[in-house]
């Protein structure tokens, strides 16, 4: 990881905690999991990938991110 990524991971880990950060990584960037960030950003996702399970995970991530405030760092 580059230094910027390490800093972001450290801040995120301190704010969200290890389990929530791991969940975020699994949903967004883990190649063995949903990998939504890469699939959507690069146009690799098939229409069948967008289902109720994916929608629930995205909503959960959204609500997690609503808790994140820069002034709390």
């Amino acid at each position: 990881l580059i230094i910027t990524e390490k800093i972001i991971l450290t801040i995120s880990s301190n704010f969200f905690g290890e389990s929530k950060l791991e969940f975020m990584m699994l949903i967004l960037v883990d190649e063995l999991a949903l990998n939504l960030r890469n699939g959507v950003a690069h146009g690799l996702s098939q229409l069948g990938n967008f289902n109720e399970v994916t929608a629930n995970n995205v909503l959960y991530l959204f609500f997690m991110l609503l808790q994140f405030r820069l002034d709390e760092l």
Side-chain angles (χ1 to χ4, degrees):
L1 296 174
I2 60 175
I3 296 201
T4 306
E5 290 174 337
K6 287 182 182 180
I7 292 169
I8 291 171
L9 285 175
T10 301
I11 291 171
S12 301
S13 177
N14 290 341
F15 182 79
F16 290 114
E18 288 293 324
S19 61
K20 286 184 180 178
L21 181 60
E22 187 175 333
F23 174 78
M24 290 171 61
M25 300 287 283
L26 282 170
I27 298 301
L28 295 174
V29 296
D30 192 320
E31 293 178 9
L32 299 176
L34 289 179
N35 202 13
L36 287 178
R37 183 253 170 231
N38 293 323
V40 172
H42 299 292
L44 303 173
S45 292
Q46 302 294 321
L47 186 58
N49 293 347
F50 301 101
N51 53 37
E52 187 176 346
V53 172
T54 303
N56 288 336
N57 284 316
V58 169
L59 280 173
Y60 185 76
L61 286 172
F62 175 73
F63 289 124
M64 280 176 52
L65 290 174
L66 282 177
Q67 299 172 24
F68 189 75
R69 290 187 176 83
L70 292 177
D71 59 338
E72 294 180 5
L73 297 177

